[in-house]
Amino acid sequence: MSTIAAFYGGKSILITGATGFMGKVLMEKLFRTSPDLKVIYILVRPKAGQTLQQRVFQILNSKLFEKVKEVCPNVHEKIRAIYADLNQNDFAMSEEDMQELLSCTNIVFHCAATVRFDDPLRHAVQLNVTATQQLLLMASQMPKLEAFVHISTAFSNCNLKHIDEVIYPCPVEPKKIIDSMEWLDDSIIDEITPKLIGDQPNTYTYTKALGEMVVQQESGNLNIAIVRPSIVGATWQEPFPGWVDNLNGPSGLIIAAGKGFLRAIRATPMAVADLIPVDTVVNLTLAVGWYTAVHRPKSTLVYHCTSGNLNPCNWLKMGLQVLATFEKIPLERAFRRPYANFTTNNFMTQYWNAVSHRAPAIIYDFYLRLTGRKPRMTKLMNRLLKTLSMMEYFINRSWEWSTYNTEMLMSELSPEDQRVFNFDVRQLNWLEYIENYVLGIKKYLLKEDMAGIPEAKQHLKRLRNIHYLFNTALFLIAWRLLIARSQMARNVWFFIVSFCYKFLSYFRASSTLKV
Ligand SMILES: CCCCCCCCCCCCCCCC(=O)SCCNC(=O)CCNC(=O)[C@H](O)C(C)(C)COP(=O)(O)OP(=O)(O)OC[C@H]1O[C@@H](n2cnc3c(N)ncnc32)[C@H](O)[C@@H]1OP(=O)(O)O
Ligand SMILES: NC(=O)C1=CN([C@@H]2O[C@H](COP(=O)(O)OP(=O)(O)OC[C@H]3O[C@@H](n4cnc5c(N)ncnc54)[C@H](OP(=O)(O)O)[C@@H]3O)[C@@H](O)[C@H]2O)C=CC1
């Protein structure tokens, strides 16, 4: 049996962010490989009109948890949802819940975060820094705690080119930032945000770096480890390939490409696309939890969960494979045929944005208005362009992440653990993974029926014909206007017409002679 799976047996585990993309996969794997674990406590807040219980019910009854129900039929009894809002003092938890958590928890996985790039600094600090600080304070009062695993991001130091598995100091102490958020006015915070974040691209990476420093400063006698994943994508293998349920990272842009909204992207084709499948991150995280609890390293170890140094893929390869998959398995009701131009040139980016993004949106909205419907394409396109601009920083650079700790951990695992908790990305076949990713987006995220593929292909053919027709009409109109205004254009036109006429006459005469 797997040593790691056995380790989690009988344990009480606390997960924050369990309703998120990574948290769900983490819970699923824990239940599937260690069905005899005692309980998983999850900190949940009511959301979108759903109570805690409804949210948990929805997760457990989703496709992701189908296998869990076979190996752990009483999964409902082993999950304990605790009301908590990480934005509040003491997480707004009841006294009884707090006492239960403090006295019973053996392992903590801290996944909750705001991953939005444009979150106001105050909110990002509250969730990614202050909440981490509060959770560490709670952890220090847990007598049975064996390990605390903090999920950060490989981009927390993306202002550096080479990143080691160490915690880098931040220019301003996290405590000072937390304090200042308490008394500064929102407008002043907005004003000083660019100065504070310095050469970090956004409030997300900045506050994740501060969060790491807090972990280092508040770790005390705790057994703590930090896992730093790069761009987390759909599952590679487990519980099945291609599972994804949110639009973050590449998923939203892949949909935009498949639906034909995204036609050009300012990306460096040969820059490393450092994607990492979510099940790989989860396997490493569970192995880290085990190693930290059992081996109790003297200092806080940082583990990079990245693919670039071991098995690199670049954005061009990824983009081409995404488009190739859409040829075979198109999305339904596409706006235009999937196609993407990669450019690094600013002028070309502006050109493609005008010609391929804004102009079609304006024309389509005009058509919607003419037919008495509400225009919506320009708004959608503006949102896409905003998303693209936020992502540009990450798709025009490459980073080198050292992975000594991760490789050390791999060598510490038994062959059985290396199989069950596989995080060796050298085995990943990118073309297969990307195809499954695109397929997963269609099936699990967009919930499109595979039976609709022939109709989707027909629709793309119609779009192609409309495209040809539109281009021909545009050419003829432009030409007609030119002829009306320029003697030179008229001369060229008469030359072409007379040339064609002569060619046809010659062709007819020579074919008559042969007969
Ligand atoms: C051939 C081509 C291959 C292309 C291949 C290139 C891939 C290139 C990926 C690089 C990826 C780097 C990532 C590195 C670093 C981390 O891995 S960090 C973790 C990942 N974090 C993220 O990805 C968060 C990014 N998202 C955000 O920051 C914000 O959502 C944005 C992009 C600023 C948009 O903010 P907003 O305009 O306020 O919109 P928001 O309220 O979030 O959502 C509004 C609507 O847009 C939708 N939406 C949200 N995000 C997206 C999205 N990304 N896309 C589409 N729709 C979205 C929402 O569902 C929502 O829809 P409705 O509910 O209104 O119907
Ligand atoms: N996705 C990625 O590409 C990457 C992610 N990471 C890191 O991985 C971790 C998990 O990310 P991911 O799963 O993708 O993120 P998600 O956005 O999918 O999930 C975030 C989780 O945090 C919870 N949360 C947010 N605010 C609160 C709050 N106030 N109170 C209680 N819970 C809250 C959310 O709950 P709710 O459902 O209620 O909103 C959700 O469960 C994060 O630490 C992130 O920084 C690192 C690198 C890349």
Side-chain angles (χ1 to χ4, degrees):
M1 192 197 173
S2 147
T3 316
I4 299 179
F7 165 76
Y8 287 106
K11 294 277 193 295
S12 300
I13 301 158
L14 167 62
I15 303 181
T16 69
T19 51
F21 178 46
M22 199 182 295
K24 280 184 238 177
V25 181
L26 179 65
M27 263 202 305
E28 193 278 340
K29 177 85 183 199
L30 267 170
F31 279 128
R32 189 158 43 82
T33 50
S34 308
D36 56 340
L37 60 80
K38 193 170 174 197
V39 61
I40 296 187
Y41 295 110
I42 58 173
L43 302 190
V44 196
R45 53 181 176 169
K47 198 176 178 186
Q50 281 189 312
T51 62
L52 267 57
Q53 284 67 29
Q54 284 167 332
R55 293 193 75 185
V56 175
F57 182 83
Q58 196 177 31
I59 294 173
L60 294 184
N61 286 294
S62 66
K63 168 96 185 140
L64 182 71
F65 276 74
E66 271 176 9
K67 284 190 184 163
V68 165
K69 286 200 194 132
E70 288 165 22
V71 288
C72 183
N74 60 341
V75 57
H76 291 89
E77 294 159 19
K78 291 198 174 225
I79 192 163
R80 173 127 151 64
I82 290 182
Y83 174 91
D85 183 346
L86 271 63
N87 283 327
Q88 308 286 329
N89 252 346
D90 286 333
F91 301 157
M93 253 191 271
S94 75
E95 189 54 36
E96 301 87 75
D97 286 341
M98 180 65 95
Q99 283 315 319
E100 186 177 343
L101 281 184
L102 294 184
S103 57
C104 301
T105 307
N106 301 118
I107 315 281
V108 177
F109 292 107
H110 179 35
C111 302
T114 166
V115 301
R116 288 182 67 100
F117 296 155
D118 64 342
D119 237 359
L121 189 62
R122 183 194 294 288
H123 186 246
V125 166
Q126 173 58 48
L127 208 53
N128 296 347
V129 192
T130 314
T132 303
Q133 192 186 39
Q134 280 203 46
L135 195 66
L136 285 162
L137 188 70
M138 275 174 67
S140 66
Q141 299 164 51
M142 293 175 175
K144 293 186 184 161
L145 190 72
E146 297 170 47
F148 182 113
V149 182
H150 172 74
I151 308 296
S152 185
T153 162
F155 296 101
S156 56
N157 301 287
C158 58
N159 47 335
L160 305 176
K161 183 150 173 47
H162 177 91
I163 302 163
D164 282 319
E165 287 165 306
V166 295
I167 300 170
Y168 291 91
C170 299
V172 184
E173 279 286 300
K175 275 184 194 143
K176 284 191 182 152
I177 301 283
I178 295 174
D179 288 346
S180 61
M181 292 298 128
E182 270 163 28
W183 58 270
L184 281 178
D185 189 50
D186 278 347
S187 60
I188 299 177
I189 295 178
D190 287 347
E191 227 167 87
I192 60 169
T193 297
K195 287 216 168 60
L196 281 176
I197 69 173
D199 51 3
Q200 288 273 12
N202 53 50
T203 54
Y204 169 65
T205 59
Y206 175 67
T207 52
K208 289 299 275 190
L210 287 175
E212 288 186 7
M213 266 207 86
V214 162
V215 169
Q216 189 178 46
Q217 291 172 347
E218 313 275 324
S219 56
N221 294 325
L222 297 172
N223 272 328
I224 305 196
I226 296 179
V227 175
R228 283 189 189 146
S230 46
I231 304 169
V232 183
T235 52
W236 168 18
Q237 291 163 321
E238 291 180 82
F240 45 83
W243 182 83
V244 58
D245 80 338
N246 76 17
L247 291 163
N248 287 339
S251 308
L253 293 186
I254 292 176
I255 295 178
K259 292 276 183 189
F261 300 125
L262 172 71
R263 306 273 296 181
I265 185 162
R266 199 173 87 83
T268 305
M270 292 303 149
V272 176
D274 209 300
L275 250 68
I276 190 86
V278 62
D279 46 340
T280 307
V281 183
V282 160
N283 286 344
L284 173 69
T285 302
L286 291 173
V288 166
W290 160 78
Y291 185 82
T292 311
V294 172
H295 293 269
R296 308 173 76 84
K298 286 197 180 68
S299 59
T300 300
L301 292 188
V302 177
Y303 299 84
H304 280 161
C305 193
T306 53
S307 58
N309 58 336
L310 298 171
N311 181 5
C313 173
N314 59 49
W315 290 111
L316 181 66
K317 181 173 170 180
M318 181 182 165
L320 291 178
Q321 182 62 0
V322 167
L323 295 176
T325 309
F326 281 135
E327 281 282 316
K328 287 193 280 181
I329 315 156
L331 297 184
E332 291 170 9
R333 294 185 299 276
F335 174 59
R336 293 180 72 193
R337 283 176 68 78
Y339 173 79
N341 257 307
F342 278 69
T343 176
T344 49
N345 181 292
N346 270 342
F347 174 76
M348 288 313 288
T349 308
Q350 299 304 330
Y351 171 79
W352 287 123
N353 278 347
V355 171
S356 292
H357 293 143
R358 292 191 203 281
I362 293 170
I363 293 170
Y364 189 71
D365 274 352
F366 181 64
Y367 162 74
L368 286 180
R369 270 208 188 90
L370 279 184
T371 50
R373 282 174 286 174
K374 200 172 161 224
R376 60 191 159 84
M377 198 51 73
T378 311
K379 196 172 158 206
L380 205 145
M381 212 46 102
N382 286 339
R383 199 176 264 174
L384 173 67
L385 294 181
K386 177 182 169 193
T387 303
L388 277 176
S389 72
M390 298 260 171
M391 302 283 173
E392 273 177 7
Y393 182 91
F394 301 96
I395 49 183
N396 285 288
R397 286 170 177 77
S398 296
W399 287 266
E400 289 157 19
W401 285 280
S402 63
T403 49
Y404 297 114
N405 290 341
T406 305
E407 285 172 60
M408 174 280 292
L409 180 58
M410 208 182 302
S411 68
E412 288 283 322
L413 302 193
S414 67
E416 177 65 353
D417 279 334
Q418 286 183 358
R419 190 185 62 77
V420 180
F421 295 91
N422 181 17
F423 51 86
D424 185 357
V425 280
R426 282 170 294 203
Q427 298 163 16
L428 183 87
N429 175 334
W430 281 108
L431 295 185
E432 194 182 281
Y433 173 69
I434 294 165
E435 182 167 321
N436 285 330
Y437 193 160
V438 173
L439 200 64
I441 285 182
K442 181 174 172 74
K443 281 206 284 196
Y444 311 118
L445 189 52
L446 298 177
K447 303 206 177 352
E448 291 188 2
D449 192 347
M450 299 310 266
I453 290 178
E455 166 56 27
K457 284 190 173 166
Q458 273 302 322
H459 178 67
L460 288 190
K461 272 195 191 138
R462 278 196 296 274
L463 287 177
R464 186 195 55 196
N465 294 342
I466 293 173
H467 177 77
Y468 287 157
L469 208 70
F470 181 82
N471 279 2
T472 313
L474 205 66
F475 173 77
L476 289 177
I477 292 169
W479 190 237
R480 185 72 195 82
L481 290 175
L482 205 66
I483 283 181
R485 278 153 210 254
S486 148
Q487 182 60 44
M488 175 123 126
R490 270 198 297 275
N491 290 346
V492 173
W493 179 240
F494 288 132
F495 174 75
I496 293 172
V497 170
S498 72
F499 181 80
C500 290
Y501 178 74
K502 278 183 192 150
F503 180 77
L504 280 176
S505 312
Y506 171 77
F507 185 73
R508 230 173 37 202
S510 61
S511 52
T512 322
L513 277 179
K514 266 184 212 158
V515 174

